[in-house]
């Protein structure tokens, strides 16, 4: 189900992608709803590359998958057409049936914070249409890769924390 790999797995995953013309508004800015697709697509690719977890193959095998229970997003700076952006994702909290995944979009050089998304994912058994418990091997992976630093309980506090970190890094 999961690819075997004995090397330590990173908690924060990172990749870059280019903002496409057809995802932008008439001002050349990434459309607000398109941010969600960029975040979700990058996370899917990152998880497969870093952890060996193909969520589609996993679903076909187990009948279980994660669904979005809640999104919280803030747009801080525009992502512009043809711009190369950096997307970082990480698990901030996890329990037996859900997890909180954080997505951060930065400019190519990681100097400007563009957007932050928190997604609460709920694990379900699609065949039964009910919440499911994560398998032991998933929980083992999650315990290894969940971010160890304390995450503020409120999204707004996390946004403030990240903005302050960016200011400190630029000083």
């Amino acid at each position: 189900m999961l690819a075997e790999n004995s090397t330590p797995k990173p908690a924060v995953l990172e990749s870059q992608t280019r903002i496409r013309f057809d995802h932008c508004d008439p001002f050349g800015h990434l459309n607000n709803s398109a941010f969600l697709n960029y975040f979700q697509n990058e996370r899917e690719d990152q998880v497969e590359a870093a952890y060996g977890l193909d969520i589609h193959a996993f679903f076909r095998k187990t009948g279980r998958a994660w669904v979005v229970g809640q999104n919280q997003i803030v747009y801080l700076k525009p992502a512009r057409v043809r711009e190369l952006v950096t997307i970082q994702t990480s698990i901030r909290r996890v329990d037996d049936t859900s997890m909180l995944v954080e997505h951060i979009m930065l400019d190519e050089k990681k100097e400007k914070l563009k957007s932050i998304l928190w997604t609460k994912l709920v694990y379900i058994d699609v065949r039964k249409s009910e919440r499911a418990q994560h398998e032991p091997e998933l929980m083992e992976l999650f315990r290894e890769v969940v971010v160890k630093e304390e995450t503020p309980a409120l999204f707004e506090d996390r946004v403030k924390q990240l903005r302050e970190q960016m200011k400190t890094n630029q000083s």
Side-chain angles (χ1 to χ4, degrees):
M1 201 155 39
L2 297 173
E4 291 299 317
N5 187 345
S6 61
T7 59
K9 294 172 183 60
V12 177
L13 305 180
E14 182 176 296
S15 56
Q16 291 188 321
T17 191
R18 190 163 306 280
I19 302 301
R20 299 297 173 194
F21 172 80
D22 61 329
H23 302 150
C24 293
D25 63 22
F27 303 108
H29 300 158
L30 184 61
N31 183 288
N32 289 353
S33 63
F35 275 85
L36 299 174
N37 291 330
Y38 276 78
F39 283 136
Q40 184 177 4
N41 290 335
E42 287 301 305
R43 176 70 181 172
E44 179 183 332
D45 293 345
Q46 291 169 350
V47 165
E48 185 171 4
Y51 307 147
L53 177 58
D54 176 339
I55 62 171
H56 300 287
F58 181 83
F59 170 71
R60 286 189 302 274
K61 183 176 180 175
T62 65
R64 293 178 173 198
W66 293 269
V67 296
V68 174
Q70 181 182 44
N71 280 323
Q72 291 179 277
I73 190 167
V74 64
Y75 307 98
L76 302 169
K77 294 205 181 306
R80 300 181 188 281
V81 67
R82 301 287 303 138
E83 180 179 8
L84 193 62
V85 295
T86 302
I87 294 180
Q88 297 173 342
T89 69
S90 59
I91 299 173
R92 304 306 293 198
R93 291 189 206 105
V94 65
D95 63 34
D96 291 342
T97 64
S98 67
M99 72 175 86
L100 177 66
V101 176
E102 179 176 85
H103 309 74
I104 299 171
M105 184 183 289
L106 304 143
D107 67 320
E108 178 181 7
K109 295 179 182 177
K110 300 189 269 187
E111 296 171 346
K112 294 184 178 101
L113 191 57
K114 295 183 172 289
S115 183
I116 305 160
L117 167 68
W118 271 10
T119 299
K120 181 179 181 187
L121 296 168
V122 179
Y123 193 54
I124 64 164
D125 186 318
V126 177
R127 296 169 295 208
K128 297 178 184 176
S129 295
E130 63 185 35
R131 201 177 263 245
Q133 298 248 335
H134 288 123
E135 287 77 3
E137 59 268 27
L138 285 175
M139 287 304 292
E140 185 178 324
L141 170 65
F142 298 155
R143 279 192 286 278
E144 180 180 350
V145 301
V146 68
V147 171
K148 305 301 188 254
E149 72 185 39
E150 188 171 330
T151 299
L154 297 176
F155 177 69
E156 294 79 8
D157 292 339
R158 177 64 175 153
V159 171
K160 183 178 178 182
Q161 181 184 52
L162 287 167
R163 292 181 90 170
E164 288 172 4
Q165 283 176 0
M166 292 298 293
K167 284 180 188 175
T168 301
N169 292 347
Q170 291 174 356
S171 299

